[in-house]
Amino acid sequence: STRSPHSLSSEGGGRMPAADYVTDDVTQTVIDADEIGHFIEQETEDESGDNRYIPGMPWDEKEALKGKNESWAHFFRRHGENIRHFLVEDWFTSAALGIGTTVLSVVTDLGIESLIHWRRENFEYLHAQSSYYGIAYWLLHFVICTAIASLCCKYISPQAAGSGIPEVKVIISGFVLDNYLSLKTLLAKMVGLVFTIGGGLPVGKEGPFVHMGAIVAALLSKATSKMRHNAFFTNEAREIEMLSMGCAVGIACTFSAPIGAVLYGIECTSKYFAVKNYWKCFFAAAAAAFSFRFAINTLVPPHIAGTIVAYYQTSFPNEVFIIEELPIFALMGIVCGLMGALFVFVNRQIFLFQKHNKVFQKVFGQSLTIFAVLWALNMAVWTYPEGLGRFVAGKWTFHVTLADFISNCTFHQMNLTDLGCKPEIVERWTGGDGSLDFKFTLACFMVFYFLLVAQCITLFIPSGIFVPAFAVGACGGRLFGEMLSMAFPEGLRGPGSPPIYPGLYAVVGAAAYTGAVTHSLSLAVIVCETTGQLCALLPVLIALMIANAICSFLSPSIYESTIILKKLPYLADLPPSRISVHVLKVERVMVKDIQFVSRNTTYKELRNMLKRHPNIGSFPFVTDPVTMTLLGSIARRYLVSLLCIKIGASEILPQEKRRSKTPSEIMQQRRRSSGTTAALILTGRNESESHFRVNSPLHTTQITSPLQQLLPNGSNDDTIGHQRTLTIAERAGVLTQRIEIDDYAIDAAPFQLVKGTSLYKVHTMFSLLGLHHAYVTDKGRLLGVVSLKELRDTFADIYVRGAQLPPWRRRRRTTTDRDVENGGGLAGGTSLPLI
């Protein structure tokens, strides 16, 4: 009977390449020369029986195994090395990450503010000469800057477009996205961000700064790769830790808020975070905040320094609200939560329209730069200060408008009481000459940027969402506070009671709306750090938690929505209170038609199976096709190497033959850069998942190399190099034989689920352990396999219809049917993700 492939590749929770986003290295199944050379060198035994020397063991421990006492010189040298590596590996790298990211942040901020200052000064000068000169310069500035930003993304690094936070979330979850953490992406991100924001487009810099911090962390990790001490810099967990630190540093460089930066970086990029790494993130963020403040106060010109720092000092009194206002803040949370869900929906519809509309694809499908330039021209027309820009404060940046929104004054009481705003503030919101009503301009500003920001973050340019969402929320809160102040000019309690502070409502609205859009609660801490006051903490928390809960129930965050739209390999969080994830069991969504290997499999069946399913990275190993008792799993690269040795390298699959070497070539070349053990390579395990099963016999270094048993005469290079080529008859005879699998090549502990496991528990396990697939068994009998592809299909429409069976399951199609129709690749929506 024909068996269909299952949606899996490499074992467990390691990094997983994904189609269209990663380097296609899953077909490199024959072990490289450096790997085999490393196996042979590392698997040496000490002659003293049980006192075996483990590779990488310090000298003094080796001597201790032989019964020798440690000398004082060795004692001080050992502890000196421990102290040195502790300072370098923990403190120095954290400080270097913070300071390095700060330097890039300050340089980027200087470029942005210089362009903004240049635009304002030149426009005022040219407009004074002629209104035609003024409008021509205004339009050209938008167009030229946006064109440069988009061209940087097109020709330097396309991965620099967008926020970067969605991709960082995917990378931290254990997947490899090609070139997203490269030096050229960092360069394109910096230059593109300078011209995007400096050109006048309403986007933020916080998301790109998080991406830049992650890139700096990755580059720093590579730069310190030679400083290896007990494999400190070689394990994947350390790299993920560095990326988390880089994300926190990116926010700290923007707001100079180290505590909120760490919390926000964890919330927006990590599902689970190791508490032991908290102090490293805080130290790196503190170093970044300190360096940022130092650079601003000493290196940056005074006329620019005030606009770079996102530090909005407020002057609210300690009793800034009364108990009667708390229900009003709760109502603001409800409204902000609904607005946040609506914003994510609008952004999603815009993205889908641009992707699926035939007219748009025909005109701009291959020229996204042209569309970005045309949209920048449209924005320039809308924000022209002497035209429509009068209604939306088009001349001013978000830094200026945010400072107006949270100022401790009241617009409608100007020149009436001490609580009235200064004339220059009110002029910006009354058209410059007092001809417009500030309530009308505030409403126009909120609606205008609510819609256009949703469009701008889909352009082919570096862009962020944090500050635009903060400004929209602050504008809505300010408008609500001003109207409430006009309705109760003497306060809610009447004469003699504390007045209503519209600036407080602006702070609450900014935090609640931004928290709803990003699904983040750390905004409360960031608001307190940026405003310098704790008096608004309770109203902010009330509105923020309600807004976050409502938006989380209705829609994913803007980052997870982007991940879903781009079809990145990531398992999104489940919305709260969905009964379907508890009712639906794993056996309903698993793939039942699977490929497997047993002792009865012949070399011919193995060769045909590997040819038919090139995207599967490991196969379950069962007793026989009848009982189907799961014994473990076998990596594809081991099976291909077995075929290579048994029937010759000429029989390897075409795509694998390109990257494969003969046994003679493998044994002749030995590069010692790899630190991976033989057991991990042969079983398909990687560093990130091995720590979940540390007691597995696969992870011990005191084993005999399986390669030595496979190769003729152990490791005799000369014998392998002169191995006789098999004739057609001999090869046919070998193909009919049953395969001989070494016991050490079998991963005896693949992750398994019982058939009655709920999808809620499956989702939790996949997220917590970083799994990419798991076998489904019943009393040891293999029933099927479930992977991220099946889970993503099941949860694709969970916010509207709940967890449902995958479409192929509802149509009663087999895996083979889907494989033939879709053709391969996770990003394209096929049944066989490249794992």
Side-chain angles (χ1 to χ4, degrees):
S1 60
T2 302
R3 296 189 295 268
S4 302
H6 52 82
S7 314
L8 58 91
S9 183
S10 64
E11 269 299 312
R15 289 182 176 266
M16 173 177 101
D20 299 335
Y21 296 97
V22 300
T23 304
D24 183 19
D25 59 354
V26 293
T27 55
Q28 188 179 356
T29 52
V30 173
I31 304 173
D32 290 338
D34 58 336
E35 296 170 346
I36 290 186
H38 198 72
F39 302 156
I40 303 302
E41 291 176 359
Q42 280 198 341
E43 291 166 359
T44 59
E45 274 193 18
D46 199 300
E47 297 179 357
S48 56
D50 293 335
N51 296 331
R52 297 183 177 90
Y53 169 59
I54 301 175
M57 178 184 294
W59 180 88
D60 51 287
E61 294 186 23
K62 176 183 177 182
E63 298 299 321
L65 286 176
K66 296 181 178 180
K68 296 183 178 180
N69 294 327
E70 183 180 20
S71 65
W72 284 106
H74 296 152
F75 174 83
F76 286 113
R77 184 178 64 181
R78 176 164 58 88
H79 283 283
E81 290 181 356
N82 291 337
I83 294 175
R84 177 169 58 87
H85 285 287
F86 170 72
L87 293 176
V88 172
E89 295 164 357
D90 287 338
W91 293 89
F92 173 76
T93 53
S94 300
L97 175 60
I99 296 173
T101 307
T102 299
V103 172
L104 299 179
S105 170
V106 172
V107 171
T108 304
D109 282 331
L110 284 175
I112 292 172
E113 295 303 327
S114 298
L115 280 177
I116 292 176
H117 182 76
W118 189 27
R119 181 189 66 177
R120 183 171 59 251
E121 294 294 332
N122 291 344
F123 170 75
E124 293 176 353
Y125 173 78
L126 293 174
H127 184 72
Q129 303 297 322
S130 172
S131 59
Y132 295 104
Y133 293 162
I135 190 173
Y137 173 77
W138 186 266
L139 298 179
L140 285 176
H141 185 88
F142 270 78
V143 169
I144 294 176
C145 289
T146 304
I148 295 176
S150 186
L151 290 174
C152 286
C153 295
K154 181 177 181 179
Y155 292 107
I156 300 179
S157 176
Q159 291 80 7
S163 167
I165 291 183
E167 289 78 12
V168 173
K169 285 174 68 73
V170 174
I171 293 173
I172 289 181
S173 67
F175 296 84
V176 179
L177 302 185
D178 193 23
N179 291 327
Y180 272 93
L181 300 179
S182 63
L183 181 61
K184 65 177 184 179
T185 302
L186 176 63
L187 176 62
K189 200 83 171 184
M190 286 183 59
V191 178
L193 188 63
V194 168
F195 285 96
T196 297
I197 302 180
L201 290 183
V203 296
K205 58 184 179 181
E206 289 68 28
F209 273 19
V210 169
H211 190 188
M212 290 166 56
I215 295 176
V216 173
L219 296 178
L220 184 62
S221 218
K222 292 181 180 179
T224 56
S225 60
K226 295 183 179 180
M227 303 170 58
R228 293 175 178 173
H229 176 62
N230 293 334
F232 185 85
F233 286 101
T234 59
N235 67 84
E236 187 176 341
R238 172 64 176 175
E239 297 179 3
I240 300 300
E241 176 187 323
M242 289 288 292
L243 291 180
S244 298
M245 293 165 56
C247 296
V249 166
I251 295 295
C253 291
T254 304
F255 290 103
S256 189
I259 299 177
V262 173
L263 299 178
Y264 184 82
I266 293 173
E267 278 188 306
C268 291
T269 58
S270 303
K271 286 186 176 182
Y272 299 94
F273 187 79
V275 179
K276 66 182 180 67
N277 296 329
Y278 255 128
W279 77 268
K280 299 175 185 178
C281 291
F282 278 119
F283 180 73
F290 172 78
S291 304
F292 186 77
R293 288 295 186 89
F294 177 80
I296 293 299
N297 294 330
T298 59
L299 304 178
V300 180
H303 69 280
I304 295 180
T307 58
I308 287 181
V309 182
Y311 192 75
Y312 305 98
Q313 183 71 46
T314 57
S315 56
F316 299 129
N318 291 332
E319 300 296 331
V320 69
F321 66 94
I322 58 178
I323 195 66
E324 287 84 354
E325 292 181 86
L326 294 183
I328 301 177
F329 296 133
L331 177 62
M332 290 184 61
I334 296 175
V335 175
C336 289
L338 296 175
M339 289 181 59
L342 180 61
F343 177 85
V344 175
F345 174 78
V346 172
N347 174 260
R348 176 182 177 85
Q349 296 305 311
I350 293 174
F351 186 95
L352 292 177
F353 173 82
Q354 295 178 359
K355 184 176 181 180
H356 299 299
N357 185 268
K358 295 182 179 180
V359 177
F360 183 89
Q361 285 295 320
K362 185 176 181 180
V363 177
F364 301 110
Q366 301 299 326
S367 49
L368 296 177
T369 299
I370 296 178
F371 177 72
V373 170
L374 292 178
W375 185 257
L377 181 62
N378 176 61
M379 286 295 303
V381 173
W382 277 93
T383 58
Y384 178 61
E386 301 302 324
L388 297 176
R390 296 175 62 245
F391 298 93
V392 293
K395 184 179 179 181
W396 308 105
T397 62
F398 283 140
H399 183 91
V400 177
T401 56
L402 271 174
D404 291 347
F405 293 149
I406 67 175
S407 59
N408 186 22
C409 62
T410 307
F411 284 1
H412 71 90
Q413 293 185 2
M414 185 187 67
N415 299 328
L416 298 178
T417 65
D418 294 338
L419 296 177
C421 292
K422 297 178 181 180
E424 57 268 21
I425 295 178
V426 179
E427 286 178 1
R428 285 195 281 266
W429 301 99
T430 55
D433 54 2
S435 59
L436 300 176
D437 185 12
F438 71 88
K439 297 187 293 298
F440 177 72
T441 55
L442 288 176
C444 290
F445 181 94
M446 181 177 64
V447 175
F448 176 77
Y449 284 107
F450 178 87
L451 297 175
L452 295 191
V453 168
Q455 168 64 57
C456 287
I457 61 177
T458 65
L459 299 178
F460 192 62
I461 53 174
S463 59
I465 186 60
F466 194 97
V467 166
F470 212 75
V472 172
C475 180
R478 184 76 193 197
L479 178 60
F480 183 77
E482 289 286 348
M483 296 176 65
L484 194 63
S485 177
M486 295 176 65
F488 300 94
E490 297 181 349
L492 293 178
R493 295 178 179 175
S497 65
I500 293 175
Y501 296 92
L504 173 63
Y505 286 82
V507 172
V508 172
Y513 178 71
T514 308
V517 171
T518 61
H519 288 192
S520 173
L521 293 176
S522 59
L523 269 298
V525 181
I526 293 179
V527 165
C528 292
E529 289 187 278
T530 54
T531 59
Q533 289 188 290
L534 292 174
C535 56
L537 181 59
L538 181 59
V540 166
L541 277 177
I542 292 176
L544 179 59
M545 288 189 296
I546 294 177
N548 199 331
I550 292 177
C551 189
S552 299
F553 184 83
L554 296 177
S555 71
S557 69
I558 187 65
Y559 305 128
E560 291 191 350
S561 176
T562 303
I563 290 174
I564 295 172
L565 292 173
K566 291 184 176 181
K567 296 183 178 180
L568 297 177
Y570 181 79
L571 187 60
D573 293 333
L574 293 177
S577 304
R578 292 298 194 274
I579 190 63
S580 57
V581 298
H582 299 278
V583 175
L584 198 59
K585 305 301 180 182
V586 67
E587 66 264 23
R588 299 289 305 279
V589 301
M590 69 181 182
V591 176
K592 297 181 180 180
D593 300 325
I594 59 177
Q595 293 292 309
F596 58 86
V597 178
S598 69
R599 296 288 185 185
N600 297 327
T601 304
T602 64
Y603 287 103
K604 181 178 181 180
E605 293 173 344
L606 179 62
R607 184 190 63 178
N608 296 337
M609 181 177 62
L610 294 176
K611 285 184 177 182
R612 288 196 306 266
H613 314 297
N615 294 332
I616 299 179
S618 63
F619 297 85
F621 183 67
V622 300
T623 52
D624 55 75
V626 179
T627 60
M628 291 292 291
T629 301
L630 181 64
L631 301 178
S633 65
I634 304 177
R636 177 188 183 87
R637 61 173 57 191
Y638 172 82
L639 296 175
V640 175
S641 63
L642 183 63
L643 279 177
C644 175
I645 294 175
K646 287 293 183 179
I647 61 178
S650 60
E651 291 293 318
I652 300 177
L653 311 183
Q655 64 268 31
E656 293 164 338
K657 187 176 179 180
R658 283 197 308 269
R659 301 183 180 185
S660 304
K661 300 177 182 179
T662 64
S664 176
E665 294 173 335
I666 292 175
M667 299 303 296
Q668 290 172 0
Q669 300 179 14
R670 295 184 179 181
R671 298 190 301 268
R672 296 171 175 81
S673 60
S674 174
T676 309
T677 62
L680 295 182
I681 291 296
L682 290 177
T683 57
R685 287 276 183 87
N686 56 24
E687 299 266 349
S688 68
E689 64 177 314
S690 61
H691 66 280
F692 294 118
R693 292 175 282 269
V694 294
N695 295 325
S696 171
L698 296 170
H699 304 133
T700 176
T701 57
Q702 301 177 12
I703 61 175
T704 303
S705 172
L707 284 178
Q708 292 180 347
Q709 300 182 22
L710 290 176
L711 296 175
N713 297 328
S715 58
N716 192 324
D717 296 9
D718 188 65
T719 303
I720 298 174
H722 298 84
Q723 186 176 6
R724 184 175 61 86
T725 304
L726 298 178
T727 64
I728 297 179
E730 291 174 334
R731 184 179 294 112
V734 173
L735 290 176
T736 59
Q737 299 175 5
R738 296 181 180 181
I739 60 176
E740 299 177 1
I741 298 178
D742 190 275
D743 291 338
Y744 290 113
I746 303 174
D747 182 357
F751 200 89
Q752 302 178 40
L753 299 168
V754 297
K755 68 174 184 178
T757 306
S758 66
L759 289 187
Y760 179 82
K761 183 178 290 187
V762 174
H763 182 278
T764 302
M765 292 180 177
F766 270 65
S767 301
L768 179 60
L769 302 180
L771 301 178
H772 298 148
H773 74 272
Y775 298 113
V776 182
T777 59
D778 181 25
K779 299 179 181 179
R781 178 181 173 84
L782 180 63
L783 301 180
V785 65
V786 61
S787 72
L788 282 177
K789 177 61 174 64
E790 283 71 49
L791 293 181
R792 292 175 68 245
D793 289 343
T794 303
F795 300 141
D797 204 16
I798 190 170
Y799 283 93
V800 179
R801 300 179 181 178
Q804 292 187 325
L805 295 179
W808 61 269
R809 200 80 154 129
R810 295 196 297 266
R811 292 191 296 266
R812 298 181 180 275
R813 294 185 178 182
T814 64
T815 311
T816 303
D817 295 332
R818 292 186 291 125
D819 187 29
V820 172
E821 293 176 2
N822 296 326
L826 177 62
T830 72
S831 62
L832 285 176
L834 298 181
I835 301 178

